[in-house]
């Protein structure tokens, strides 16, 4: 019997379900199952990575039918490059998080049920694996629900907190609204397949080969887009996300933000490119618009947060926005029949999915380490942690640099590709699209800059300065298993940034499958150094050379300035002659965000409360009921009429201006 | 000169006209505004001359010289005199909400491009996008009149609008007949005079040039 990647994935799933039963039986030996389960989950993660990368390189699809579920509709498994890529991404993060959890979950020993955590942890991960492996609507939805419910129980794990309960309930409700919408979408698709296939029309294979009427395809796509958007936290259906992420245990936040949101991206890509396949350009434009909205508003909200994990949660919304921008662009280019640029945008989106999983996982792991050392989540009370936990500080900094899209780390590589896709948009034949696209590029640039500001704030306020709280925490650096988890993630961020060509080469098979084109990566002798999306004259980037030159400059600076004798003198902080500085006088998280809060004031709904007031008034009831409304109505009408005639020249000019514009628009 | 190079120069000059229009939208100092207006006039005159060259319509040279005289020398001179008379040379006008004004301006440019798309396709003119830029300049001038309060700034906004119209005329039809152009030029000159006199009167009556003050003329209800 030959051995296929799908068998590996199936073995992984089998191990997970075995672990669930195992944890259920041995729920009294908490320490043992903790060490055992997370060690085995590390192995499962590795299996998934191997299976995923294997199938992506192999560039073929493997199918398996498992006789469970409805009699007419057994579970269909399918592993193709797209699901392989997602499987590998999920597996990689599961690998790191499981190592990290060995140390992190130990803190719950003694006062929380470990078995409960492990069971839902395993089910959650199994759910994510099955979502990307599913090849029929029923199995997909079962996996989807398993993932949602298991993560609900993980969010509510620390159920003594009131916040947890509220957030988890909100999450559950939103997740189910999304699931219903996805269910309806599959219903529409299966109905449109037609024929006498019975339950057979619910398999993705039947949907792939069907020709959908345009209207029904549109209904199905937008139902699915709505449902997946809720899961992904696309603005304006994002409200559950910034509530649920901060209250969940940090390793769970890392998984939810790093990979669970990505399963929604998987769903959108699968339905749009693979199942429906043919669509008008404005679908892509709508996806793009929501991507831009999420990116800009997500990062603006992230900047305003003082809760470290909430900040990271909003930043996830931003990154989902960036991924959606890539997907939307790719859809537009596909519908204009420009496969190479579509492949570029899709590669950028997939690359960012992988990158975001890595650095957001890293950052949430860092936040968890901080939480465990200091028992504090509010940045206003932190500060100076770089002295307490230098390892975490450095690794968190790597995450911050990556997410701020600074070269040579991985965030830059994928955002750069997204920009390249944007800059190629003038080739689009529709003039209005051509004119509006640059604005999108500008918004993306704004997002990147604001993201950098956000993470300067996150790192600066948390790790630099001095401790702002009352009592300096006694704990020091976290244990080695947590550190190793973070080091691996940080190292992956670095590798993905320095060697982008290899990743892009791998992703070429994914884009080949979906838009039947790929960015040509030349893997010759020296050419692997350079990423050249279209032609070298236009733009190219080399992470490796960039890294080497930065490293050389830093080393040179270090040797010149630091190794001189007496180059650094330490003395007291200058206090402007005021005397007696306290840590509370430091630049705080709120004050850091203030200039941008002023500039973008219109975006938020800010309420500042200063004091309460007591007021008493007793009125005649009849006057209120009968007379006041009449008086008010007549005043209201006359004011509305009077508003037209304010006597201001500028307003009269506006009237004529608007009239001209309307006439030009409709009577041209 | 090569036709293609001339074409490129015309497009660049058109872009500069649009740029000055945007700059005028947010310039707060009144002297700065006048010099921007002057620059717009210079670019306009140059464009006219180049279009005349490329299309072999030599009466456009006269238009160019006329534009230069009127819009670069005479009108700025009148405006400067007016400012000195009104003693507002050092005033800095408060421009509300620069960001949204600019964004509306950008939207107007896109709108003009979209609007003129059918015309541009039929036009035989070499640099077709100029029609869109001309329309955008007109609208930005109007937008400037809407957003500003100072009476003198509004005059400049009006004149900028007229620049846009002139530009549209050149680009769409290689300029109007010379007689019409002369008439329009004199109209503009007279309008500037009338505006100037009005501003002086506004200033004496309200003790300010803020057009918002004129809302006082309205009866309260």
């Amino acid at each position: 019997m030959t051995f296929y990647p799908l068998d590996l994935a199936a073995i992984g799933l089998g191990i997970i379900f075995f672990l669930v039963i195992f944890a259920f039986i041995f729920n009294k030996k908490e320490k043992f199952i903790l060490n055992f389960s997370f060690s085995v989950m590390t192995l499962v993660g590795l299996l998934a990575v191997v299976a995923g990368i294997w199938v992506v390189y192999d560039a073929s699809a493997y199918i398996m039918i498992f006789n469970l579920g409805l009699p007419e509709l057994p579970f269909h498994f399918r592993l193709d490059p797209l699901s392989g890529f997602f499987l590998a991404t999920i597996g990689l993060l599961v690998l790191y998080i499981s190592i990290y959890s060995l140390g992190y979950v130990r803190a719950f020993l003694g006062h929380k049920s470990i078995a409960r955590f492990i069971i839902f942890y395993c089910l959650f991960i199994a759910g994510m694996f099955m979502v990307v492996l599913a090849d029929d609507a029923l199995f997909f939805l079962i996996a989807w629900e398993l993932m949602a419910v298991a993560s609900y129980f993980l969010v509510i794990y620390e159920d003594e907190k009131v916040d947890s309960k509220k957030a988890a309930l909100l999450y559950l409700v939103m997740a189910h609204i999304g699931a219903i919408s996805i269910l309806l979408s599959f219903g529409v698709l299966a109905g449109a397949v037609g024929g006498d296939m019975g339950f057979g029309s619910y398999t993705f294979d039947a949907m792939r080969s069907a020709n959908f009427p345009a209207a029904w395809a549109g209904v199905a796509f937008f139902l699915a887009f709505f449902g997946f958007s809720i899961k992904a936290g696309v603005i304006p259906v994002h409200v559950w996300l910034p509530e649920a992420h901060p209250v969940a245990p940090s390793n769970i936040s890392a998984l939810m933000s790093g990979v669970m949101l990505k399963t929604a991206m998987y769903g959108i890509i699968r339905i749009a490119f693979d199942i429906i396949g043919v669509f008008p350009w404005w679908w892509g434009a709508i996806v793009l618009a929501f991507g831009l909205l999420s990116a800009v508003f997500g990062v603006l909200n992230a900047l305003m947060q003082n809760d470290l994990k909430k900040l990271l949660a909003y930043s996830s919304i931003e990154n989902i926005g960036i991924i959606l921008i890539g997907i939307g662009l790719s859809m537009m280019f596909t519908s204009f029949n420009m496969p190479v640029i579509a492949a570029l945008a899709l590669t950028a989106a997939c690359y960012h999915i992988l990158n975001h999983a890595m650095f957001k996982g890293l950052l949430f792991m860092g936040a968890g380490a901080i939480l465990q050392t200091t028992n504090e989540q509010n940045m206003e009370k932190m500060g100076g942690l770089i002295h307490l936990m230098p390892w975490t500080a450095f690794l968190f900094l790597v995450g911050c640099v990556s997410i701020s899209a600074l070269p040579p780390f991985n965030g830059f590589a994928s955002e750069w590709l997204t920009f390249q896709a944007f800059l190629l948009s003038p080739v689009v034949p529709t003039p209005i699209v051509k004119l509006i696209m640059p604005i999108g590029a500008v918004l993306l640039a704004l997002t990147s800059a604001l993201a950098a500001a956000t993470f300067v704030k996150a790192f600066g306020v948390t790790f630099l300065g001095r401790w702002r709280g009352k009592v300096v925490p006694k704990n020091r650096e976290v244990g080695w298993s947590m550190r190793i988890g973070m080091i691996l993630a940080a190292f992956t961020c670095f590798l993905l940034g320095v060697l982008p060509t290899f990743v892009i080469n791998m992703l070429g098979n994914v884009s080949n499958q979906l838009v039947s084109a790929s960015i040509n990566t030349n893997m010759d002798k020296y050419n692997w150094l350079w990423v050249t999306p279209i032609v070298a004259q236009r733009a190219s980037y080399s992470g490796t050379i960039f890294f080497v030159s930065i490293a050389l400059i830093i080393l040179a600076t270090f040797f010149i300035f630091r190794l001189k004798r007496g180059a650094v003198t330490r003395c007291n902080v200058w206090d402007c002659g005021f005397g007696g500085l306290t840590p509370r006088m430091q630049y705080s998280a709120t004050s850091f965000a203030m200039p941008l809060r002023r500039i973008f004031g219109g975006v938020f709904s800010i309420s500042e409360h200063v004091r309460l007031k007591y007021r008493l008034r007793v009125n005649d009831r009849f006057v209120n009921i009968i007379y006041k409304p009449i008086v008010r109505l007549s005043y209201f009408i006359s004011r509305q009429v009077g508003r037209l005639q304010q006597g201001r020249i500028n307003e009269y000019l506006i009237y004529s201006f608007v009239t001209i514009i309307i006439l030009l628009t409709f009577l041209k | 000169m090569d036709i293609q190079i001339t074409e490129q120069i015309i497009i660049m000059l058109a872009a500069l006209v649009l740029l000055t229009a945007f700059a005028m939208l947010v310039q707060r100092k009144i002297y700065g505004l006048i010099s921007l207006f002057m620059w717009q006039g210079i670019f306009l005159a140059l464009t006219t001359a180049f279009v005349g060259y490329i299309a072999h319509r030599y009466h456009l040279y006269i238009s160019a010289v006329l534009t230069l005289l009127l819009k670069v020398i005479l009108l700025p001179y009148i405006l400067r005199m007016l400012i000195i008379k009104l003693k507002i040379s050092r005033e800095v006008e408060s421009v509300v909400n620069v960001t949204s004004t600019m964004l509306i301006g950008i939207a107007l440019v896109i709108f003009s491009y979209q609007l003129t798309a059918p015309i541009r396709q039929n036009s035989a003119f070499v640099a077709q996008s100029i029609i869109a830029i001309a329309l955008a300049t007109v609208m930005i001038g109007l937008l400037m009149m809407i957003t500003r309060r100072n009476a003198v700034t509004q005059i400049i906004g009006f004149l900028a609008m007229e620049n846009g119209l002139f530009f549209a005329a050149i680009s769409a039809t290689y300029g109007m007949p010379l007689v019409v152009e002369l008439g329009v030029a004199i109209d503009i000159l007279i309008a500037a005079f009338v505006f100037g006199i009005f501003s002086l009167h506004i200033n004496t009556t309200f003790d300010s040039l803020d057009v918002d003050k004129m809302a006082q003329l309205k009866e309260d209800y």
Side-chain angles (χ1 to χ4, degrees), chain A residues 351 355 408-411 413 492-500 541-544:
Chain A
Y351 199 175
N355 288 341
F409 286 95
N410 57 355
T492 317
C493 284
F494 173 71
L495 277 188
L496 289 175
V498 175
L499 302 171
Y541 164 68
S542 166
T544 323

Side-chain angles (χ1 to χ4, degrees), chain A residues 369-385:
Chain A
I370 294 168
L371 189 63
Q372 217 160 59
T373 308
T374 63
N375 267 324
E376 194 56 72
Q377 216 164 305
N378 188 350
M379 295 188 347
E380 294 282 39
K381 291 181 184 162
M382 296 180 200
L385 289 179

